[in-house]
Amino acid sequence: MSTGSREQLAARCAFLARGFLSTDPEAVRQAATLLAAQERQAAENALAGDAAELEKEYVRLFLSPSGAPCPPWQSAYSEEGTLMGEPHASALEWYRSKGVEPVRESEPADHAGMLLAFYAHLLESQAPPEELAAFRQQHLMWLRQLSELVGEHARHPFYRLVAEMTRRVVDDSLPGSG
Amino acid sequence: MALTRRSFLQITGAAGAGPVLASFGDVFRPAQPAPLAERTLITACGLCDSACGIRATVRDGVLRFLEGLPEDLQGRGHLCGKGAAGAALLYDPDRLKYPMKRTNPAKGLDEDPGWVRITWTEALDTIAARFQEVLDKHGPEALLFISRPSPDIWVRFLRAIGVVNRVDHIDVCYTADRVVQRYMIGGRTWCTDFDNSRYIVLFGWDLVARNKLVFTHGIVAAKEKGAKVVCFNPQYSITARFADEWHPIRPGSDLAVVLAMIHVILAENLFDRDFVTNYTNFPQYEAQIRQHFAQYTPEWAERESDIPAATIRRIAREFATIRPSVAPSYKKTLTANYANSGQFSQAVCILNILVGNIDRPGGPFFARTISIPGVDAIVPPPRYPTPRGRRVDGRDKLPFVQEDDSGLFSTLADGMLNRYPGMIRAAFINSYSLLSFPNPRRMEEALKTVPFVVVMDTLPADGTALADIVLPSTMYLESSDLVSRDRYAPRPQVVARQPVVSPMFEARSISFVAIELGKRLAPDYFKNPDGSWISTSAVLDERTRRAGLGASFAEFAARGIETRDQPFVPRTTFATPGGTGKCQIYVPQFAERGAEPLPTWKPRRDVPSAEYPYYYLTYIPAVHRRNSTENNAILHEMMPTNTAMINPALAAKLGVREGDLVRIRSRVGSIELPAHLTETLRPDCVLVAHGFGHRSRFLRLASGKGVRDGDVIPDWSVDEMLQAGDWFGSGAIMDAVVRIERVAV
Ligand code: SF4
């Protein structure tokens, strides 16, 4: 990537993964500790304020029982537009190839947060560039659409930051193998 | 900052796998052994009452595809488009996923409810506490349950806490028909033996478009064998196109045609003398019956219906002589559409009795079933409290509906806003959309007066926006049940509805909710004799055993379907009230309680006037069922929105061209939608598809597409219902007249 090392990218992905998976500000803050100073500060700033607001915003964007504007599952962005499609099966296959699987069996495996956490794992475990590229190609490109939707609908600064950082993660080129 | 293994471990304190994965121990775990191979499971569709048998192919916990089950009597090995697309509903991204509670107390369609996730335990505790508070302070009458009377464990819960106000949609569907058939032939004949019918007269029922396979198979088979199909409908419906004859009848006048057909058959003595003499009370009441129908001449009916007298005469003669013949009534055929639908049901029932087709080949028949005990037979409850309190929908004024135990959607809003304002303090809505109500806007207003509302559903619906707590419900592909064939069952057949996948996210069944709320609010009713809690799976196992289907539900589910080969023996005694064992053409019990013992002409409720000169019609498009398929991605492609369909002659008169925006206004509301010109209906009508116009703010596909057809249909009070002579509680769901104007742009 143009702006940093493989480690920094992994840190961003792990941070974003938490951001997509959790509304617990502490968990997100912990994940932010690995970011470069400037990014970390931005994350801290965006997280400042009422934790309840963060949670409401999360539910409104991703889980609202009135119909959420930004479903965080890759299959929802495939042609069929429904959950548990090909991306789910493919993600599971990836996870299993590294000896893991999702804890929550009744939920789709192609959640943005899971995919980003797994990508961070690939980066960190020195996966070969071809493997990184393949995973990116298969499971990260749609995040651009998701980040656009989140960017458009988010009112809370934290999710605006998540949208922006997700866009950069997808747009940045692959880091060198070092 | 460098990312090291150490730093990740510091974050989590975990060791083992890679550090990232270690820090995501709540998300990933070590992989289990290899996933199961592809397998096939039998289950039953739950999208309409055809309940077609399904073979579901599942791989690695994911439903791959659905196909028909060859042995199934109802689907006959096929699924319709909706049924085959069931996976899209199961995997709809908008499905309700977790229990949620509102944090913003202000309710309204433009308010952000401020949803936050809660656990099931918190949800159930909160609901139980609120219900208990209402019960203590205001009594059972203050609780409103908008839900069907199923499953039986749910009904047990409602009875255990003494619920008075359970309301369902049956009045806008078939209450009147069910009441009438019970008194006239001893029960509802849900089945029709179309296959063996030679002459089929359909009033209103667009059964080919509705595409409930159980009926389409039958009528297609009949037609192939040369049966004649005659269709009365203001609209050139899909069924009308399929039929041999289409008669564009004036909306709401079908009763007149049926009365005149009875007149002809009686006057010309064309009825089935053997059946009528031996199995009905005709001999006892012959004089009254003949005298009553003498007034309804075909010439009179022509004036009411626009159907020529000669045509009515011919069809009556053909119906009586080309046998077996049948004039089926079903749901919302005309059994709920108009204020005179109860009279219509009564008249159509007589028409069938006169040709001796009741429970005979080619006619309407009672499903042959095996007995499957309910939960109360398996774990007898303590004595239920007698329900005490006021009935919010006014049902207590309608003795026949009261005894039928169905509710009244059409009068509920009036009950909540006018009759007993403020009485309802808490409401639980299970899988109903406001779209199912006539005048849903008023129902919205009514719901806003309720301080605590729980909505349980699979997808966001209009009611969700007004809820305090939302519960995610399982859908049929995630459920267990024994499904007895009841729409075409000349011999008993049972299909195992089994979960083909585990429930998505945190969806749970209404049975689960019944037991969990039961434990909290009426524990004595939810215990086994040994003091342990009732479990639905143990009850299901016992039901399976007692029905003789297998040692356990799982064992039966592995086979999936059982058919008992027994010959069809036509009924010779009919379980009508009064104990005569005969069909009642003349119903003395109706007369005893002030209703008409014989069907009597009554006009519809809303008749055209200078202000509202046109008839308003709605229909359910082939691809939709109720409102739940609207958001379904595949089906959405096929029919994204609704239009105002009008005849070009009417369009010319109104100065409306194809695609122009028109406003349709009735005495209760108005809607605006694009005009679609079509020759396929009478020029005094406008036709709008049902099931569109969800107001839920973000329902991604459906939201804002199309308008709510119900917004111009008046709801009413129970007194208005009685005034219209609607004794049997028909919801008059299509009884509206409107003005149509082009909207200047
Ligand atoms: S007719 Fe279609 S929707 Fe109805 S049960 Fe059969 S497959 Fe399901």
Side-chain angles (χ1 to χ4, degrees):
Chain A
M1 64 198 266
S2 53
T3 58
S5 65
R6 182 185 267 239
E7 282 76 12
Q8 278 175 349
L9 181 60
R12 284 201 191 106
C13 289
F15 166 74
L16 288 172
R18 269 295 161 221
F20 279 114
L21 286 166
S22 171
T23 58
D24 172 7
E26 270 325 297
V28 182
R29 248 179 223 126
Q30 290 239 307
T33 56
L34 301 172
L35 295 173
Q38 211 184 341
E39 283 177 334
R40 180 178 174 171
Q41 192 54 53
E44 288 287 347
N45 293 346
L47 281 169
D50 190 352
E53 291 307 313
L54 190 71
E55 188 183 353
K56 277 190 256 175
E57 179 74 340
Y58 181 88
V59 170
R60 191 180 65 81
L61 292 171
F62 304 120
L63 298 175
S64 172
S66 318
C70 319
W73 301 277
Q74 186 179 356
S75 296
Y77 298 79
S78 63
E79 210 171 307
E80 295 78 28
T82 49
L83 303 178
M84 305 299 270
E86 180 47 36
H88 160 82
S90 157
L92 260 188
E93 215 171 287
W94 274 100
Y95 303 157
R96 287 185 180 135
S97 76
K98 301 291 173 192
V100 293
E101 66 184 11
V103 170
R104 278 180 244 165
E105 291 168 40
S106 63
E107 304 194 4
D110 57 355
H111 189 284
M114 284 188 208
L115 295 170
L116 283 162
F118 186 76
Y119 189 57
H121 166 69
L122 289 181
L123 287 164
E124 172 214 56
S125 60
Q126 309 302 324
E130 319 75 70
E131 207 171 60
L132 291 175
F135 187 81
R136 265 174 77 85
Q137 195 51 44
Q138 290 167 30
H139 287 294
L140 299 188
M141 302 316 286
W142 71 281
L143 290 176
R144 184 188 316 225
Q145 271 165 280
L146 177 63
S147 67
E148 274 167 20
L149 280 175
V150 175
E152 182 186 326
H153 291 277
R155 301 196 281 247
H156 193 291
F158 178 70
Y159 293 102
R160 287 209 291 268
L161 176 103
V162 165
E164 171 57 22
M165 200 187 280
T166 304
R167 191 191 54 74
R168 271 192 287 127
V169 163
V170 182
D171 285 354
D172 284 351
S173 60
L174 263 180
S177 54
Chain B
M1 167 184 175
L3 179 69
T4 64
R5 183 182 169 81
R6 235 184 99 95
S7 59
F8 259 115
L9 289 175
Q10 274 167 354
I11 292 171
T12 62
V20 166
L21 290 181
S23 76
F24 283 92
D26 56 331
V27 180
F28 290 111
R29 67 176 180 209
Q32 312 283 307
L36 289 169
E38 196 162 275
R39 55 194 189 125
T40 305
L41 297 165
I42 290 177
T43 191
C45 186
L47 285 175
C48 82
D49 36 13
S50 186
C52 298
I54 286 178
R55 287 164 53 91
T57 302
V58 178
R59 195 196 308 148
D60 201 3
V62 180
L63 173 61
R64 310 301 297 203
F65 59 91
L66 302 173
E67 59 195 327
L69 177 66
E71 308 92 293
D72 166 26
L73 286 168
Q74 299 197 156
R76 304 187 192 183
H78 299 274
L79 300 177
C80 75
K82 296 181 291 215
L89 199 60
L90 172 67
Y91 294 139
D92 192 316
D94 284 328
R95 273 194 70 172
L96 305 185
K97 303 171 185 78
Y98 309 97
M100 299 271 175
K101 75 171 178 207
R102 161 189 299 272
T103 57
N104 176 5
K107 290 186 186 178
L109 295 166
D110 295 318
E111 290 288 343
D112 179 353
W115 297 115
V116 293
R117 251 182 89 170
I118 51 174
T119 62
W120 266 101
T121 308
E122 183 184 343
L124 293 161
D125 287 346
T126 310
I127 296 167
R130 293 294 296 257
F131 283 7
Q132 188 64 60
E133 195 186 315
V134 170
L135 285 167
D136 294 344
K137 278 203 203 137
H138 308 278
E141 67 175 17
L143 291 179
L144 170 67
F145 288 83
I146 303 181
S147 87
R148 292 170 183 75
S150 63
D152 53 10
I153 188 98
W154 177 244
V155 176
R156 183 181 177 111
F157 165 66
L158 300 183
R159 295 185 69 187
I161 61 169
V163 165
V164 188
N165 287 304
R166 182 192 63 76
V167 177
D168 56 35
H169 75 293
I170 313 296
D171 67 318
V172 297
C173 201
Y174 60 80
T175 301
D177 212 41
R178 187 163 70 182
V179 168
V180 160
Q181 289 200 2
R182 197 161 64 74
Y183 275 91
M184 298 183 75
I185 59 175
R188 182 91 205 268
T189 51
W190 287 109
C191 308
T192 298
D193 183 21
F194 286 112
D195 294 66
N196 292 307
S197 211
R198 294 181 56 222
Y199 197 90
I200 300 165
V201 180
L202 296 166
F203 291 95
W205 188 10
D206 193 2
L207 90 177
V208 179
R210 293 296 294 277
N211 205 7
K212 292 186 178 179
L213 285 183
V214 58
F215 304 116
T216 29
H217 284 313
I219 200 162
V220 168
K223 190 117 189 281
E224 275 168 8
K225 286 197 271 177
K228 185 163 178 183
V229 179
V230 176
C231 183
F232 291 90
N233 198 324
Q235 178 210 1
Y236 189 45
S237 63
I238 308 282
T239 306
R241 288 163 222 225
F242 166 90
D244 297 275
E245 289 181 20
W246 171 51
H247 301 286
I249 191 168
R250 194 189 301 166
S253 70
D254 306 69
L255 171 62
V257 172
V258 181
L259 292 174
M261 284 176 70
I262 297 171
H263 168 99
V264 172
I265 292 170
L266 288 175
E268 302 182 9
N269 289 313
L270 298 175
F271 50 88
D272 184 323
R273 194 161 290 277
D274 172 59
F275 188 91
V276 164
T277 309
N278 293 315
Y279 303 118
T280 80
N281 65 2
F282 184 78
Q284 195 184 346
Y285 294 100
E286 179 167 358
Q288 285 106 309
I289 293 170
R290 285 190 184 274
Q291 193 203 348
H292 178 78
F293 287 102
Q295 59 187 312
Y296 299 126
T297 63
E299 286 68 25
W300 162 81
E302 174 173 344
R303 289 193 294 277
E304 294 293 343
S305 66
D306 302 330
I307 306 297
T311 305
I312 298 176
R313 243 187 210 100
R314 172 180 59 79
I315 292 173
R317 287 175 186 148
E318 289 175 357
F319 183 76
T321 54
I322 305 177
R323 291 205 225 142
S325 57
V326 66
S329 63
Y330 196 61
K331 296 174 167 184
K332 244 191 128 203
T333 43
L334 285 177
T335 61
N337 289 350
Y338 303 107
N340 63 17
S341 288
Q343 305 289 329
F344 169 82
S345 288
Q346 229 174 319
V348 156
C349 196
I350 293 177
L351 204 54
N352 285 308
I353 292 173
L354 289 178
V355 295
N357 70 9
I358 308 296
D359 210 51
R360 299 291 180 274
F365 66 99
F366 300 100
R368 299 324 196 233
T369 54
I370 56 173
S371 119
I372 302 176
V375 62
D376 282 6
I378 288 166
V379 188
R383 182 195 295 274
Y384 289 118
T386 311
R388 274 182 231 288
R390 294 165 292 172
R391 188 64 209 195
V392 66
D393 58 2
R395 186 183 79 175
D396 47 312
K397 288 204 167 182
L398 304 169
F400 303 105
V401 184
Q402 178 81 1
E403 121 202 315
D404 186 68
D405 195 34
S406 45
L408 297 169
F409 265 20
S410 63
T411 61
L412 181 57
D414 187 81
M416 292 169 75
L417 293 167
N418 283 338
R419 200 173 152 83
Y420 302 122
M423 179 176 97
I424 300 298
R425 311 295 299 167
F428 189 112
I429 307 175
N430 180 31
S431 298
Y432 271 123
S433 159
L434 294 184
L435 293 188
S436 320
F437 287 80
N439 202 359
R441 201 166 301 176
R442 193 140 182 260
M443 193 57 220
E444 245 162 53
E445 289 312 310
L447 269 183
K448 276 196 213 161
T449 66
V450 181
F452 181 67
V453 178
V454 182
V455 167
M456 179 154 179
D457 217 322
T458 51
L459 279 172
D462 274 11
T464 321
L466 301 172
D468 294 276
I469 288 191
V470 173
L471 303 175
S473 176
T474 47
M475 47 92 78
Y476 60 98
L477 292 164
E478 302 161 328
S479 314
S480 313
D481 201 0
L482 295 170
V483 180
S484 225
R485 264 63 199 83
D486 58 0
R487 295 304 191 265
Y488 181 76
R491 52 194 171 276
Q493 184 178 67
V494 182
V495 178
R497 173 171 292 145
Q498 61 183 312
V500 300
V501 295
S502 36
M504 291 294 290
F505 299 93
E506 289 184 5
R508 296 286 178 272
S509 67
I510 189 72
S511 303
F512 167 83
V513 174
I515 291 179
E516 289 303 318
L517 291 180
K519 285 180 188 173
R520 290 161 170 84
L521 290 168
D524 292 348
Y525 293 82
F526 289 87
K527 282 181 185 153
N528 292 308
D530 68 2
S532 60
W533 295 116
I534 286 184
S535 106
T536 40
S537 61
V539 168
L540 189 56
D541 282 342
E542 188 57 26
R543 296 174 75 200
T544 310
R545 271 192 290 278
R546 292 205 197 167
L549 293 166
S552 67
F553 179 71
E555 190 200 276
F556 174 53
R559 282 186 293 130
I561 183 164
E562 180 162 313
T563 312
R564 300 269 164 91
D565 278 314
Q566 64 180 50
F568 181 89
V569 182
R571 263 191 207 183
T572 50
T573 57
F574 297 85
T576 46
T580 58
K582 297 196 187 297
C583 298
Q584 307 197 99
I585 292 178
Y586 178 100
V587 185
Q589 297 87 354
F590 287 170
E592 280 159 25
R593 290 197 264 179
E596 285 84 4
L598 290 165
T600 304
W601 170 251
K602 291 186 186 343
R604 45 183 284 149
R605 176 187 61 197
D606 285 42
V607 291
S609 62
E611 194 179 359
Y612 302 113
Y614 305 110
Y615 295 105
Y616 183 70
L617 303 174
T618 66
Y619 77 109
I620 300 181
V623 294
H624 287 270
R625 173 247 172 202
R626 288 196 294 117
N627 316 304
S628 59
T629 48
E630 186 186 347
N631 202 41
N632 183 314
I634 296 175
L635 300 175
H636 186 80
E637 293 283 305
M638 292 159 65
M639 184 148 185
T641 187
N642 54 358
T643 56
M645 291 183 244
I646 50 176
N647 189 291
L650 176 59
K653 197 163 122 195
L654 297 168
V656 166
R657 284 158 314 175
E658 175 72 26
D660 281 356
L661 194 61
V662 294
R663 181 178 306 119
I664 300 177
R665 191 157 56 79
S666 76
R667 63 185 167 94
V668 298
S670 75
I671 53 177
E672 289 180 11
L673 67 183
H676 174 55
L677 275 43
T678 171
E679 301 276 359
T680 61
L681 81 162
R682 290 169 57 106
D684 53 0
C685 301
V686 54
L687 176 69
V688 174
H690 174 69
F692 293 90
H694 276 288
R695 292 278 176 83
S696 304
R697 293 173 66 219
F698 289 125
L699 191 54
R700 291 174 314 121
L701 296 175
S703 178
K705 299 265 172 62
V707 300
R708 292 199 297 207
D709 59 301
D711 280 354
V712 297
I713 298 173
D715 60 321
W716 56 353
S717 69
V718 75
D719 295 316
E720 289 171 292
M721 209 175 209
L722 279 168
Q723 257 158 37
D726 186 1
W727 278 90
F728 309 124
S730 119
I733 191 74
M734 228 201 267
D735 207 329
V737 289
V738 294
R739 181 171 200 85
I740 308 168
E741 300 149 335
R742 193 166 151 253
V743 179
V745 266

